[in-house]
Amino acid sequence: MGAVTVDALREVSMEIMEGELMVVLGPSGSGKSTLLNLIGGLDTPTGGRVLYRQLDLSRGNQRQLTAYRRSEVGFVFQFFNLIADLTARENVLAAAELVEHPLDPDEVLDWVGLAERAGHFPSQLSGGEQQRVAIARALVKDPPLILCDEPTGALDDVTGKEVLRILCDLKQRRGKTVVLITHNTAISAIADRIVRLKSGRIAESVRQAAPARPEDVEW
Amino acid sequence: MVSVLHRRLLRELRGGGMSIVSIVLIAAVGTGCYVAMRSAHRNLSDAKNRYYAQGRMADFWIQLKKVPTDEVSRLRDLPWITEIQSRIRFPVTADLGEDRKPIAGLALSLPDARGPVLNDVVLRMGGYFTPGRRNEVIVNHSFAEAHGLKPGSRFRLLLQGRQEEVVVVGTAMSCEFVYALGPGSIVPDRKGFGIFYLKRSFAEEVFQFEGAANELIGRLSPGGRAAVKNVLQQMERMLDEYGVLQATPLADYPSNNFLAQEIDGLATFGFAIPLIFLVVTALVLNVMMIRRAGQERTVIGTLKALGYSDAVVAGHFLEFSLWIGLLGGLAGCGLGAWMAQSMTSIYQRFYEFPSLVARFHADIHLQAVVVAVICAGLGGWSGTRSVMRLRPAEAMRPRPPRTGRVIFLERFPRLWSRLSAAWRIVLRNLLRHRLRSGAGIAAGMLGAAVMAMIFSMAAAVDHLMAFHFRWVYRSDLTLGLKDERSSDVVRELQRLDGVRAAEPSLVVPCVIRFGARERTTALTGITAGAAMTVPREADGRTAAVPPAGLLMSRALAGILGAKQGDAVAIRPLRGSREWRVARLAGLMDDYVGTTIYADLDYLRGMLGEESAVNRVQLALVPDPQVRRDILLRLKDWPAVQDIIARADIRGNLENTLLRNLWLFLSIEILFAGSLFFGAVLNSAIISMTERRQELATLRVLGYSPWRVGGLLARESLVLTLVGIVLGLPLGYALLNQVVHVYQTEVMRIPLTFPPQVWARTVLWGTVFGMASQVIVQRAVHTMPWLEAIKVRE
């Protein structure tokens, strides 16, 4: 068999506004993660352009993309991706050390409600706690953009809602732009804008005038 | 900036457990060997250079029958010669008391008044000769110490048939006797061989050498040193009428030759042995780091996603292996310093230096650590490169499942179907992880090669001992006679109580030439059917002495380029000293010196002396008291110049060389074992970590911990055995190299690789390899398998 080229994303054109919470919805294989990777500077597209303010991410070299990720983006992953050998505080510190003016790691941990658990290793924390550490880690660099890949995917609904509350707070209280990808349609209720992906294309882009509160979301 | 990453690294290293310890162990042994051998090499060569400079070591020795001292001034004008001196040198026997057996020794003359001489003595106790007494003697220090001789002690010397009482004025050492060998020995015997420095005037008187000498020693200009053989040949021609017996350049002078051989050996092995260990370190680390790169994919991706650059992440990753190298290097420095100390103290027993100390050489330690870190860096490089190349988006995705493939053994269904499920799992796993299995096998191979080489060396020494002391030289006592005697002396000796048999022989120094190549050696005439000197082949078969012609050492024939049946020119350095032609009738093997045998009557005919004898070998009744009585009686035989007692030489060898050799070899075997242990352990731990879920599943299926552990044990066993089988030929190649390094005209190591060496290598390689299973099985037994089964891929 010869090699078959599959486009993960095709003819996708979209804008993300500063300070909005965008939810990207779609089933597995719809191209959500690829979109997030492109926005986050983890990957570059084979065609087309990805612009962040004045920076063309699609033409950036590794050094530029690293610098972009370092100062502009905070990532939150489905499986938390905490470094097992570092305590909660050290995981946050690992990100804080990368920027010149980070937030205070202890304050950030306190903000996500983990001040008491700062000295614990990931294996000693619950799933929700681990995800809160991951959020603190994303936040500590004080980046304008927070990208979340299925942040509640590995959590039960109560813990999941708590994580969503923090993400909404990031937008409302700290003015962050939050992009959240999920296959869970219920979560889209909290979004300012919902983008639906299907087979690598945008099937729908809807703006919500009055997003729901995380505690009112049910799944 | 990366302090948190550092903290993580240290935690990882601390938590790395046996897998890290095993690599650090191999690296430590490698660097330890490097530090020990390089330090010992430096200590020994520095001590040698200092001593040679201090004593003004000669560049050549020429032994003659007798030369007027006036002749010496004629030679002084020769180009290349910067200094030349004459002295008197004779083998003697020391008699330290009525009830004590005679001891072989060497008498050397020194000027009556202290002056600048070559091969000068370094006084240790007492002082130089005084003008008052004629019979003063300076005794070599170790002999004096061994016998409690001090300034003022008196004893008797048998000086060429004359008994003289001498009085000790001092004890000393000399750079020409760093490795002082008595007749018939290959290791120094401090108690059984003495060097006695006599006043020149006293030596001239007792040996009847007024205004004459029988040895010339001298120093050459750098150009002369480069062409020493030609210079010596020229001098031999000039001195021919004075009966040149032997001309020896410094390189061939036994003490220097043994010392230089040891120093060269240290240089060679100080490179080769550490290299083997560090190659294995790199191999094992390579496997470990590649596995780590796979295991840490998500961490790598996360760090990159956080904004860490490729170089920082790769550096963090590589640092892990560099730390292992550093830890191994530092541990190796400690081990090496201890080993260098032990080696130097062993050398102190064999080599006599005014100061041989184990110094701390900071540069060698630094080199060792740097080399260990570089090797570790190379080992970690492949894994690091994959970390460097890994794109964050790719790293965040789970790894594609491994491609399951049929292994080649499965193409033989008859064989494959007979294998149990356990063996199928083992073989599939080994063949699917070729890099890891390959590294395990390569480590085992190198371990087996080193081990086989060490066992072969031990076998070679056993063979050498048996060959020399049981097969070839079979007499209890060998008596060297003053000048040639008639055969009557044999009959007289045979009549002594306790003598079972006596055999005459005649040893004549000679020059042998074939084509353009020439060597000075000794030609030994023995009787047909002699039972106390039996020339042999390496495998022990008797090599018959031909009625006419020569039986020559294979080593010597090789040097001359002659083969059996060739006609060689020979010039005995006694009697008429004329060149003759002799047929090379046969070849035999020897390991010490280069011997030529001939039939006693044939040799006598060649010399024109009908019944000459200058050596008698005695077989005694096996009773220590009888042996002692005979030795005491022989002191009063003026014809006897020196006595070699086989049991004493053998005993000395066993007490010195063999004891140290076994200690040394045991340590080396332990080190080679660490290669098996470390590499097999590492491979098993990696296999266990990677297959945690699989092994846990087997537990769920109902496998007992032993059964699960059995899978890992079988894998280790296969790796070990394959490594050993491949390592044996490599060991032979290595041994060949070693034998080559120690191949000189003075001594050779037999190249033996008997089945017991294979058997010992298989046994000990397996023992060390499987010893790692103690740790592996414990880990399997304590594995939290219920947790392992839940682990997310």
Side-chain angles (χ1 to χ4, degrees):
Chain A
M1 284 220 305
V4 179
T5 309
V6 179
D7 291 332
L9 290 173
R10 209 184 311 158
E11 294 166 22
V12 170
S13 180
M14 60 185 285
E15 273 183 309
I16 302 167
M17 298 303 161
E18 257 187 90
E20 74 173 349
L21 194 159
M22 176 195 273
V23 170
V24 181
L25 276 176
S28 295
S30 60
K32 305 188 296 290
S33 293
T34 307
L35 181 65
L36 197 79
N37 289 344
L38 293 175
I39 300 169
L42 293 175
D43 217 345
T44 46
T46 48
R49 299 173 78 187
V50 183
L51 296 170
Y52 173 82
R53 294 180 178 162
Q54 267 70 53
L55 182 66
D56 186 351
L57 298 177
S58 44
R59 300 214 177 128
N61 58 28
Q62 283 306 314
R63 199 175 50 78
Q64 288 165 327
L65 291 179
T66 301
Y68 163 71
R69 290 198 300 268
R70 189 175 287 186
S71 58
E72 307 297 320
V73 188
F75 278 98
V76 178
F77 304 100
Q78 178 180 6
F79 292 109
F80 333 126
N81 290 23
L82 296 180
I83 296 167
D85 305 313
L86 300 181
T87 62
R89 189 176 182 282
E90 287 166 346
N91 263 287
V92 177
L93 210 56
E97 285 179 349
L98 286 169
V99 291
E100 249 178 77
H101 303 293
L103 303 179
D104 180 347
D106 294 317
E107 267 179 34
V108 177
L109 276 168
D110 189 31
W111 189 73
V112 296
L114 281 177
E116 305 289 313
R117 312 278 281 160
H120 288 70
F121 283 94
S123 59
Q124 298 165 321
L125 300 173
S126 70
E129 285 172 331
Q130 288 187 55
Q131 194 59 299
R132 278 189 277 160
V133 175
I135 294 170
R137 186 176 65 182
L139 181 61
V140 76
K141 294 190 293 178
D142 200 17
L145 181 60
I146 305 280
L147 301 178
C148 311
D149 185 0
E150 300 272 12
T152 57
L155 304 174
D156 62 68
D157 55 350
V158 178
T159 326
K161 278 183 194 175
E162 179 58 24
V163 167
L164 290 182
R165 186 192 61 73
I166 296 171
L167 292 176
C168 286
D169 273 2
L170 282 178
K171 182 197 80 168
Q172 282 158 6
R173 296 199 191 171
R174 294 183 179 261
K176 305 290 176 199
T177 308
V178 180
V179 178
L180 189 157
I181 65 167
T182 180
H183 65 275
N184 186 346
T185 40
I187 291 175
S188 63
I190 64 165
D192 296 317
R193 196 144 59 99
I194 304 163
V195 173
R196 272 178 211 282
L197 284 182
K198 199 171 174 189
S199 306
R201 294 169 195 266
I202 296 180
E204 189 185 17
S205 176
V206 188
R207 181 164 289 281
Q208 294 195 122
R213 291 187 313 167
E215 46 270 38
D216 298 334
V217 177
E218 291 298 335
W219 69 83
Chain B
M1 183 182 178
V2 284
S3 65
V4 174
L5 294 188
H6 263 117
R7 231 176 292 168
R8 169 173 189 263
L9 184 74
L10 292 178
R11 263 179 217 147
E12 254 191 308
L13 284 167
R14 268 207 301 271
M18 286 314 292
S19 156
I20 288 178
V21 172
S22 62
I23 307 181
V24 169
L25 175 77
I26 299 174
V29 171
T31 38
C33 288
Y34 181 85
V35 168
M37 290 183 182
R38 303 300 304 180
S39 302
H41 176 266
R42 176 100 50 96
N43 292 337
L44 212 51
S45 25
D46 283 356
K48 175 190 143 187
N49 295 340
R50 270 198 310 273
Y51 198 15
Y52 280 16
Q54 182 188 3
R56 301 201 309 127
M57 181 72 155
D59 289 319
F60 64 85
W61 286 250
I62 300 175
Q63 285 174 26
L64 317 97
K65 198 138 177 84
K66 198 169 191 176
V67 63
T69 37
D70 299 343
E71 267 311 296
V72 179
S73 51
R74 195 160 67 91
L75 295 167
R76 209 164 273 145
D77 301 333
L78 281 175
W80 313 123
I81 292 185
T82 57
E83 214 169 337
I84 188 159
Q85 290 172 356
S86 70
R87 63 182 186 180
I88 299 166
R89 173 189 186 124
F90 273 104
V92 294
T93 303
D95 176 6
L96 296 183
E98 295 239 322
D99 56 342
R100 293 167 78 174
K101 62 184 186 186
I103 299 168
L106 181 70
L108 277 173
S109 68
L110 277 176
D112 289 13
R114 185 113 213 206
V117 289
L118 298 179
N119 301 345
D120 200 3
V121 290
V122 177
L123 287 164
R124 307 291 290 182
M125 255 201 302
Y128 202 71
F129 304 127
T130 60
R133 284 175 299 212
R134 63 186 259 287
N135 60 339
E136 289 178 344
V137 66
I138 296 170
V139 181
N140 73 309
H141 187 67
S142 55
F143 180 84
E145 244 183 3
H147 290 284
L149 296 175
K150 291 187 180 68
S153 302
R154 286 166 187 271
F155 64 95
R156 295 173 78 77
L157 277 180
L158 306 170
L159 303 159
Q160 293 284 294
R162 260 174 84 156
Q163 292 211 9
E164 287 282 347
E165 192 185 59
V166 288
V167 53
V168 179
V169 289
T171 70
M173 4 176 109
S174 161
C175 53
E176 67 178 318
F177 297 109
V178 171
Y179 194 82
L181 288 179
S185 190
I186 52 169
V187 291
D189 180 358
R190 299 190 162 199
K191 218 169 169 168
F193 179 66
I195 297 155
F196 308 104
Y197 297 93
L198 309 176
K199 276 183 173 177
R200 177 69 175 252
S201 57
F202 181 59
E204 286 188 4
E205 177 205 329
V206 293
F207 297 117
Q208 286 146 26
F209 260 59
E210 283 84 5
N214 67 350
E215 188 173 53
L216 301 179
I217 51 176
R219 274 159 78 92
L220 300 170
S221 63
R225 277 182 205 139
V228 64
K229 298 250 170 185
N230 293 339
V231 174
L232 287 181
Q233 269 173 15
Q234 194 185 341
M235 290 170 73
E236 278 180 74
R237 275 195 297 275
M238 290 177 69
L239 293 164
D240 195 48
E241 59 184 300
Y242 304 109
V244 175
L245 299 174
Q246 196 160 14
T248 315
L250 175 61
D252 294 344
Y253 193 73
S255 166
N256 180 66
N257 186 288
F258 273 89
L259 182 59
Q261 202 173 295
E262 189 62 39
I263 291 174
D264 288 351
L266 282 173
T268 310
F269 293 113
F271 174 76
I273 300 281
L275 184 72
I276 288 178
F277 282 86
L278 292 173
V279 163
V280 173
T281 305
L283 273 175
V284 177
L285 252 176
N286 181 43
V287 174
M288 187 190 194
M289 294 295 279
I290 287 175
R291 174 205 145 232
R292 217 177 136 243
Q295 210 181 21
E296 302 233 309
R297 255 173 96 85
T298 350
V299 174
I300 294 158
T302 307
L303 289 173
K304 288 190 177 183
L306 284 174
Y308 282 97
S309 67
D310 287 347
V312 171
V313 177
H316 167 63
F317 189 82
L318 182 66
E319 217 183 317
F320 183 82
S321 61
L322 297 182
W323 268 100
I324 291 180
L326 184 69
L327 289 174
L330 292 175
C333 281
L335 177 71
W338 171 76
M339 277 163 61
Q341 181 82 46
S342 315
M343 282 170 83
T344 309
S345 66
I346 289 177
Y347 286 139
Q348 280 162 348
R349 278 181 232 167
F350 289 97
Y351 301 103
E352 219 177 307
F353 283 102
S355 72
L356 173 63
V357 280
R359 290 212 164 81
F360 177 81
H361 302 287
D363 59 327
I364 292 175
H365 284 75
L366 187 68
Q367 279 165 21
V369 174
V370 169
V371 168
V373 171
I374 290 175
C375 279
L378 289 175
W381 184 244
S382 180
T384 306
R385 215 173 39 183
S386 68
V387 167
M388 188 98 172
R389 286 181 180 167
L390 191 65
R391 299 177 68 112
E394 189 189 338
M396 308 307 287
R397 283 195 289 272
R399 222 195 323 202
R402 260 198 339 251
T403 30
R405 261 202 319 249
V406 171
I407 61 167
F408 82 93
L409 277 177
E410 292 177 56
R411 291 187 202 143
F412 308 99
R414 277 198 181 175
L415 171 73
W416 188 250
S417 61
R418 279 168 197 231
L419 294 174
S420 66
W423 273 112
R424 288 184 196 184
I425 293 175
V426 165
L427 292 172
R428 276 204 185 111
N429 194 49
L430 287 175
L431 288 164
R432 280 185 186 152
H433 296 95
R434 289 189 192 151
L435 181 72
R436 190 202 309 151
S437 305
I441 288 171
M445 198 169 107
L446 291 170
V450 174
M451 217 175 245
M453 182 194 78
I454 295 163
F455 283 129
S456 299
M457 295 285 281
V461 171
D462 281 349
H463 176 78
L464 197 145
M465 293 285 286
F467 187 88
H468 204 77
F469 293 106
R470 249 196 1 248
W471 300 350
V472 177
Y473 300 106
R474 300 160 60 92
S475 61
D476 295 310
L477 296 180
T478 302
L479 312 179
L481 305 180
K482 179 181 176 289
D483 299 326
E484 274 114 51
R485 303 270 156 162
S486 77
S487 299
D488 297 344
V489 72
V490 184
R491 280 188 288 279
E492 280 176 57
L493 284 164
Q494 194 145 22
R495 279 201 289 269
L496 285 176
D497 274 350
V499 172
R500 281 195 296 140
E503 269 180 17
S505 56
L506 181 60
V507 183
V508 182
C510 67
V511 182
I512 189 141
R513 183 189 289 167
F514 183 71
R517 298 183 194 172
E518 191 179 285
R519 280 291 181 279
T520 302
T521 182
L523 173 55
T524 305
I526 53 175
T527 52
M532 287 189 235
T533 299
V534 185
R536 294 190 190 254
E537 305 280 345
D539 60 9
R541 275 178 301 135
T542 311
V545 178
L550 308 174
L551 177 68
M552 188 186 279
S553 139
R554 272 203 177 82
L556 181 59
I559 291 164
L560 296 172
K563 55 186 190 305
Q564 194 166 346
D566 283 340
V568 295
I570 186 161
R571 183 194 187 206
L573 296 171
R574 290 262 160 88
S576 64
R577 299 168 64 90
E578 277 167 17
W579 283 101
R580 291 154 205 279
V581 175
R583 202 172 65 86
L584 195 51
L587 296 175
M588 48 81 197
D589 290 297
D590 60 355
Y591 302 113
V592 182
T594 47
T595 323
I596 311 174
Y597 292 104
D599 180 79
L600 182 59
D601 290 331
Y602 174 80
L603 177 59
R604 282 168 174 166
M606 194 188 274
L607 296 171
E609 295 177 30
E610 241 175 52
S611 65
V613 170
N614 64 3
R615 202 177 70 171
V616 181
Q617 290 178 284
L618 302 180
L620 309 180
V621 293
D623 178 348
Q625 189 54 45
V626 169
R627 180 171 167 269
R628 200 178 151 76
D629 289 346
I630 288 177
L631 280 169
L632 292 178
R633 285 194 64 184
L634 285 173
K635 287 202 290 196
D636 299 326
W637 277 56
V640 174
Q641 181 175 274
D642 57 74
I643 301 168
I644 303 172
R646 190 170 60 133
D648 291 349
I649 291 183
R650 214 193 146 104
N652 179 48
L653 265 172
E654 275 162 6
N655 283 331
T656 53
L657 183 72
L658 295 189
R659 215 167 47 192
N660 287 314
L661 187 78
W662 271 110
L663 176 77
F664 187 68
L665 295 185
S666 306
I667 293 174
E668 292 274 300
I669 285 169
L670 209 62
F671 287 170
S674 74
L675 287 180
F676 282 101
F677 179 82
V680 170
L681 175 63
N682 212 279
S683 173
I685 287 177
I686 290 176
S687 182
M688 195 174 76
T689 320
E690 276 185 357
R691 294 156 68 201
R692 257 169 85 87
Q693 230 178 350
E694 179 188 325
L695 299 178
T697 312
L698 291 174
R699 291 291 313 277
V700 174
L701 289 178
Y703 272 57
S704 70
W706 284 114
R707 220 181 150 96
V708 172
L711 296 176
L712 295 166
R714 280 179 217 214
E715 277 181 31
S716 300
L717 187 66
V718 171
L719 291 182
T720 306
L721 290 177
V722 173
I724 292 173
V725 168
L726 297 177
L728 284 172
L730 188 67
Y732 184 78
L734 210 58
L735 177 72
N736 213 337
Q737 249 344 84
V738 175
V739 167
H740 186 74
V741 169
Y742 287 106
Q743 191 92 351
T744 69
E745 287 180 38
V746 179
M747 198 178 153
R748 291 165 297 281
I749 295 176
L751 181 67
T752 51
F753 205 66
Q756 67 258 35
V757 166
W758 315 352
R760 280 180 186 160
T761 308
V762 172
L763 174 71
W764 284 103
T766 312
V767 166
F768 279 107
M770 298 316 281
S772 63
Q773 286 301 313
V774 174
I775 294 163
V776 176
Q777 297 303 324
R778 203 171 149 262
V780 170
H781 276 73
T782 53
M783 182 171 88
W785 56 279
L786 275 177
E787 261 175 52
I789 200 100
K790 290 185 214 151
V791 166
R792 173 173 62 88
E793 276 287 358

